[in-house]
Amino acid sequence: MLIEQPPSFIRKLYPSLNWMEETNKNEVFITFDDGPTAGVTDKVLSLLKDHNAKATFFCLGKNVNQNPDLYQNILEAGHSVGNHTHSHLNGWKTTTKEYLSDALKAKEYIQSNLFRPPYGKMKPAQIQALKNHFKVVMWSNLSRDYDSFVSVDQVTDYATKNLNAGSIIVFHDSLKAREKVLPVLERTLLFLAKKGYKASAIKPSS
Ligand SMILES: [Zn+2]
């Protein structure tokens, strides 16, 4: 996933989207986009297990189709999953009909009503259409782990800056992020433990 510009103006335009997760506990929500990816997701799962942490994986339908065992491993480890479209569509460059149809195709592989838009980019009509099927989950902390020009220190800072109970952190279990996501995830998990935060999975609503 690549964001050319952070969609902070979308946040202002669409306060009804979920930029934080409601909670009355001291917990933070770590999320991963773009997997499952062989050689990355398995290592992420192992690190989460070592730290007794739960997370939410916003999967691409096409990647679940290619890595069904990894997808099962995510669920069996007690994490939650969400829909990140089938083929990583950019909503701004896609018709609403095509966008919804791609998301519903992914739903055949990903049994969840949580949805995160690739690049954070959706048109208003797409948001309306999605809301009939999904809870749209955005984020408060974009780590930029996919950006080769940003250091591990800086990515850790983006991930952990201004955290509160209910904060939603975005990482990527993708090939593009694989150099950074593991060291940054480990640092983030240690940071959360030090601050007394639990890492929890976002629950799909029934
Ligand atoms: Zn993505």
Side-chain angles (χ1 to χ4, degrees):
M1 158 164 160
L2 183 73
I3 294 194
E4 296 88 355
Q5 64 251 50
S8 52
F9 69 96
I10 298 182
R11 188 173 184 150
K12 290 192 187 90
L13 279 174
Y14 304 113
S16 72
L17 300 179
N18 297 277
W19 300 93
M20 298 275 286
E21 182 68 6
E22 245 175 70
T23 180
N24 51 19
K25 294 183 196 146
N26 228 16
E27 58 186 355
V28 162
F29 300 88
I30 293 177
T31 66
F32 296 90
D33 289 1
D34 296 1
T37 308
V40 185
T41 307
D42 39 347
K43 291 176 181 158
V44 164
L45 287 173
S46 155
L47 192 52
L48 289 170
K49 190 178 176 196
D50 289 348
H51 290 260
N52 200 20
K54 296 288 184 257
T56 305
F57 290 78
F58 288 91
C59 300
L60 292 172
K62 66 173 183 183
N63 285 354
V64 174
N65 185 31
Q66 280 172 14
N67 304 287
D69 293 348
L70 270 180
Y71 178 74
Q72 279 309 318
N73 292 346
I74 294 171
L75 293 174
E76 279 163 19
H79 305 293
S80 66
V81 291
N83 185 319
H84 194 50
T85 74
H86 190 74
S87 40
H88 211 258
L89 291 185
N90 178 337
W92 294 357
K93 296 181 178 169
T94 312
T95 65
T96 296
K97 194 179 166 195
E98 198 186 332
Y99 194 79
L100 188 65
S101 139
D102 195 75
L104 293 177
K105 185 175 178 190
K107 207 167 199 255
E108 292 170 22
Y109 297 94
I110 304 154
Q111 285 72 45
S112 172
N113 67 346
L114 302 177
F115 180 87
R116 172 172 289 151
Y119 316 99
K121 291 177 176 173
M122 298 169 286
K123 296 174 188 165
Q126 289 163 346
I127 296 174
Q128 284 315 314
L130 285 166
K131 278 186 172 173
N132 296 325
H133 303 271
F134 300 103
K135 172 183 169 182
V136 180
V137 179
M138 305 300 276
W139 57 81
S140 56
N141 292 57
L142 183 65
S143 69
R144 300 191 175 275
D145 54 355
Y146 50 80
D147 188 338
S148 56
F149 296 103
V150 181
S151 69
V152 166
D153 280 349
Q154 189 66 63
V155 172
T156 307
D157 190 49
Y158 286 137
T160 56
K161 195 165 58 176
N162 302 325
L163 280 183
N164 291 302
S167 286
I168 302 172
I169 306 172
V170 184
F171 293 121
H172 294 81
D173 51 335
S174 66
L175 290 176
K176 196 177 256 181
R178 91 167 152 188
E179 300 292 316
K180 260 172 225 143
V181 66
L182 293 165
V184 173
L185 175 60
E186 176 146 52
R187 289 185 188 194
T188 301
L189 290 167
L190 292 170
F191 177 89
L192 294 182
K194 202 170 97 184
K195 297 281 178 186
Y197 287 116
K198 189 173 170 240
S200 303
I202 298 172
K203 287 167 196 67
S205 42
S206 46

